[in-house]
């Protein structure tokens, strides 16, 4: 049911652009099927540096887009790219198959061309970037965006705070663990979550120089360090203030570690199949016991969204 028209109810000021040909060609006239002004948006010059931007008012899930040319004219866009942002300052390009995706646009001024996205986007701002247009005219565009409101639980970390998830019993011994979350940060280093046991077991996820590292130790502390410790690193430039998704699935020694769409499958070292953690898991840092506000390593500075540990919504639990 995520297919509401999101642009049509917006106020005129929600649509902006790189430039406009005349006031009658302003971006406020760029709504699908409307004939106001000159019948759509046209920039001052037709080149690949132009863009039409939509402020959707809040973070939403975008599942489809549609375009038209400028009403009753020879101005339309035959190919375009999409960029999206939460802030309106930092932008990402919409990709499919790890390549920047060019959407097929229009071949006349009034037919609607609709595209359902292979991967939905979560964003507040969306930009249409014309790549090609009618050779006998110029850039002309009317648009619609389809989707729905995006509900999420978000925790903000300021580099001095953390969330603690305390177990009902002293020791949590698990053969299977699933951790999922999204995060964004402008800091290249910081601990996202950590748990440890008195027998030497631990699991730590942390940003290190913009890469994400997962450290796991299964087994008794008497084992030689190199026999039981496993570290795997994924991603790069993850401190770009964009959302990145993380999924960690462990069953006995087998681990699937996914960052965005890239997965590393590996087998942990050590003699044990279970992870023994005492008392609690910490998210956003590793507190020093008995010293409130003191942390063992650099704390995470940024946002964590939809944080789940073995089916428990950690952020929602903290809000209660």
């Amino acid at each position: 049911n995520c297919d509401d028209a999101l642009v049509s109810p917006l106020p005129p000021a929600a649509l902006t652009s790189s430039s406009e040909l005349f006031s009658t060609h302003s971006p406020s006239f760029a709504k699908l099927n409307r004939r106001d002004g000159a019948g759509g948006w046209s920039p001052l010059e037709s080149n690949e540096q132009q863009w039409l931007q939509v402020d959707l008012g809040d973070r939403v899930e975008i599942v489809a887009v549609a375009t038209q040319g400028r009403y009753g004219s020879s101005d339309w866009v035959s190919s375009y790219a999409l960029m999206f942002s939460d802030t309106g300052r930092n932008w990402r390009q919409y990709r499919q198959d790890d390549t920047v995706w060019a959407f097929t646009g229009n071949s006349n001024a009034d037919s609607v061309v609709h595209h359902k996205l292979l991967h939905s986007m979560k964003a507040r701002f969306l930009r249409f970037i014309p790549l090609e247009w009618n050779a006998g005219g110029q850039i002309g565009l009317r648009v619609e965006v389809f989707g729905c409101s995006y509900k999420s639980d978000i925790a903000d970390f300021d580099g001095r705070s953390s969330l603690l998830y305390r177990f009902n019993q002293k020791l949590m011994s698990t053969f299977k663990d699933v951790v999922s979350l999204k995060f964004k940060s402008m800091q290249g280093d910081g601990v996202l979550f950590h748990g440890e046991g008195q027998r030497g077991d631990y699991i730590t996820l942390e940003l290190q120089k913009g890469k994400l590292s997962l450290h796991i130790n299964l087994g008794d502390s008497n084992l030689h360090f190199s026999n039981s410790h496993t570290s795997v690193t994924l991603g790069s430039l993850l401190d770009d203030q964009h959302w990145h998704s993380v999924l960690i699935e462990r069953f006995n020694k087998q681990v699937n570690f996914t960052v965005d769409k890239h997965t590393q499958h590996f087998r942990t070292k050590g003699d044990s199949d279970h992870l023994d953690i005492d008392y609690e898991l910490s998210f956003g840092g590793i507190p020093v016991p008995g010293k409130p506000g003191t942390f063992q390593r650099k704390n995470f500075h940024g946002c964590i969204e939809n944080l789940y540990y073995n089916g428990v919504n950690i952020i929602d639990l903290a809000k209660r």
Side-chain angles (χ1 to χ4, degrees):
N1 296 323
C2 188
D3 58 359
D4 297 333
L6 302 178
V7 173
S8 58
L10 293 175
L15 285 84
T16 55
S17 64
S18 52
S19 66
E20 59 187 53
L21 183 60
F22 301 108
S23 60
T24 53
H25 297 67
S26 80
S28 62
F29 301 128
K31 295 182 179 182
L32 203 73
N33 293 321
R34 298 287 288 272
R35 301 180 182 182
D36 307 330
W41 167 69
S42 286
L44 182 61
E45 296 182 17
S46 290
N47 56 47
E48 293 186 9
Q49 281 70 56
Q50 307 299 329
W51 46 262
L52 174 67
Q53 177 176 309
V54 181
D55 179 356
L56 296 161
D58 205 349
R59 197 158 177 244
V60 297
E61 182 168 6
I62 301 167
V63 300
V65 294
T67 60
Q68 283 174 303
R70 192 167 61 81
Y71 173 72
S73 74
S74 57
D75 303 337
W76 58 81
V77 172
S78 53
S79 175
Y80 63 94
L82 290 176
M83 300 185 75
F84 59 100
S85 171
D86 286 329
T87 62
R89 296 183 300 274
N90 301 303
W91 294 87
R92 296 184 74 179
Q93 293 179 309
Y94 178 78
R95 292 174 174 265
Q96 285 185 196
D97 303 321
D98 289 330
T99 60
V100 176
W101 195 253
F103 292 84
T104 301
N106 301 91
S107 57
N108 58 52
D110 294 307
S111 297
V112 176
V113 176
H114 184 280
H115 288 284
K116 187 171 179 63
L117 304 184
L118 182 62
H119 309 292
S120 67
M121 292 181 284
K122 284 82 173 177
R124 173 177 171 175
F125 297 90
L126 188 65
R127 274 187 182 179
F128 292 80
I129 314 292
L131 302 176
E132 297 176 303
W133 45 91
N134 179 27
Q138 58 184 359
I139 292 173
L141 200 57
R142 288 176 286 171
V143 302
E144 185 56 270
V145 176
F146 300 92
C148 56
S149 60
Y150 179 64
K151 304 298 183 184
S152 63
D153 290 299
I154 298 178
D156 295 313
F157 295 87
D158 59 4
R160 300 184 299 273
S161 58
S162 65
L163 280 177
L164 298 180
Y165 173 52
R166 290 196 167 95
F167 308 138
N168 292 327
Q169 63 266 32
K170 177 182 177 182
L171 174 67
M172 181 74 76
S173 183
T174 59
F175 287 91
K176 179 181 179 180
D177 290 294
V178 178
V179 181
S180 64
L181 60 94
K182 288 186 176 182
F183 76 91
K184 67 176 179 178
S185 176
M186 292 187 70
Q187 303 293 326
D189 298 276
V191 173
L192 276 83
F193 80 84
H194 172 80
E196 63 182 70
Q198 294 184 11
R199 296 181 54 195
D201 292 31
Y202 62 81
I203 180 168
T204 306
L205 180 70
E206 67 176 319
L207 272 171
Q208 295 180 311
K209 297 181 178 179
K211 300 180 179 180
L212 205 55
S213 296
L214 175 63
H215 313 292
I216 299 181
N217 182 31
L218 299 181
D220 193 274
S221 58
N222 293 326
L223 291 172
H224 189 271
F225 182 81
S226 62
N227 290 333
S228 55
H229 175 84
T230 305
S231 289
V232 173
T233 299
L234 269 180
S236 62
L237 304 176
L238 300 177
D239 51 347
D240 58 358
Q241 193 61 9
H242 290 295
W243 289 102
H244 299 280
S245 59
V246 180
L247 176 63
I248 299 167
E249 302 167 294
R250 181 190 70 87
F251 182 71
N252 295 340
K253 290 190 179 70
Q254 192 63 42
V255 181
N256 299 327
F257 178 30
T258 302
V259 178
D260 296 329
K261 298 170 188 173
H262 304 283
T263 302
Q264 185 83 274
H265 307 279
F266 65 94
R267 188 174 176 83
T268 62
K269 301 175 183 178
D271 295 332
S272 176
D273 284 336
H274 52 268
L275 177 67
D276 293 335
I277 299 214
D278 292 332
Y279 303 114
E280 65 191 19
L281 283 171
S282 63
F283 298 90
I286 310 176
V288 175
K291 296 183 179 180
T294 306
F295 298 89
Q296 296 180 27
R297 297 215 286 274
K298 187 169 182 179
N299 267 29
F300 176 69
H301 193 290
C303 301
I304 295 180
E305 176 187 70
N306 294 346
L307 170 58
Y308 286 83
Y309 169 69
N310 289 346
V312 176
N313 186 332
I314 301 296
I315 298 174
D316 182 60
L317 196 65
K319 288 179 179 177
R320 293 186 220 158

